[in-house]
């Protein structure tokens, strides 16, 4: 299915290139004319990212996918805020804390301060009932 989508997108992009003003330049000098090392690095990063996303979708369960998506959004927004000098508001900070809590909760590495004793007692009781 991915190959079909890629083929369609290539056909649409090629049609747009042929109808645009750059078609004659591409025909004379080639498609890759003017590519710099930075251009190739961006292409490589996008290709590797696409492969990693495909592997995650194939191999990971739904919860891991959701957590990784949340973490990537938080990291992207944080890096963008630091790079662009924008202000991070309280709602963003609250969202980051929720994502961090969810990651720790799923991984089972919650610090003792964040553990809900009654929740763990309920889970222990349920697990004890299942053993009998």
């Amino acid at each position: 299915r991915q190959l079909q989508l890629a083929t369609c997108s290539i056909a649409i992009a090629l049609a747009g290139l042929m109808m645009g003003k750059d078609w004659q330049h591409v025909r004379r000098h080639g498609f890759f004319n003017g590519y710099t090392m930075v251009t190739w690095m961006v292409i490589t990063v996008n290709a590797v990212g696409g492969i990693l996303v495909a592997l995650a979708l194939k191999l990971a369960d739904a919860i891991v996918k959701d957590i990784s998506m949340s973490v990537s959004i938080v990291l992207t927004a944080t890096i963008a805020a630091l790079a662009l000098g924008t202000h991070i508001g309280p709602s963003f900070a609250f969202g980051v804390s929720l994502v961090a809590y969810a990651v720790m909760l799923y991984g089972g590495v919650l610090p003792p301060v964040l553990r809900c004793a009654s929740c763990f007692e309920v889970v222990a009781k349920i697990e004890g009932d299942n053993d009998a």
Side-chain angles (χ1 to χ4, degrees):
R1 187 183 326 172
Q2 300 298 331
L3 187 59
Q4 290 173 337
L5 291 173
T7 304
C8 291
S9 65
I10 290 171
I12 292 169
L14 187 59
L17 178 64
M18 293 172 92
M19 291 188 297
K21 62 182 179 181
D22 293 329
W23 176 242
Q24 292 304 321
H25 179 78
V26 170
R27 285 190 64 197
R28 269 188 253 121
H29 301 288
F31 184 79
F32 300 109
N33 181 41
Y35 278 33
T36 64
M37 183 57 76
V38 173
T39 307
W40 285 110
M41 287 171 45
V42 169
I43 291 170
T44 303
V45 166
N46 281 324
V48 170
I51 291 169
L52 290 175
V53 167
L55 285 173
L57 291 174
K58 182 175 182 174
L59 301 175
D61 63 350
I63 295 173
V64 172
K65 291 177 202 173
D66 292 340
I67 290 174
S68 63
M69 173 95 53
S70 302
V71 170
S72 69
I73 290 169
V74 168
L75 286 176
T76 302
T78 303
I79 291 170
L82 293 173
L84 301 174
T86 57
H87 174 70
I88 295 178
S91 60
F92 181 77
F94 180 68
V96 168
S97 64
L98 286 178
V99 169
Y101 180 72
V103 169
M104 289 187 293
L105 185 64
Y106 182 72
V109 291
L110 283 177
V113 173
L114 298 177
R115 290 189 184 140
C116 173
S118 61
C119 297
F120 287 106
E121 290 171 7
V122 170
V123 170
K125 183 176 179 181
I126 291 172
E127 289 175 354
D129 291 342
N130 289 338
D131 291 337

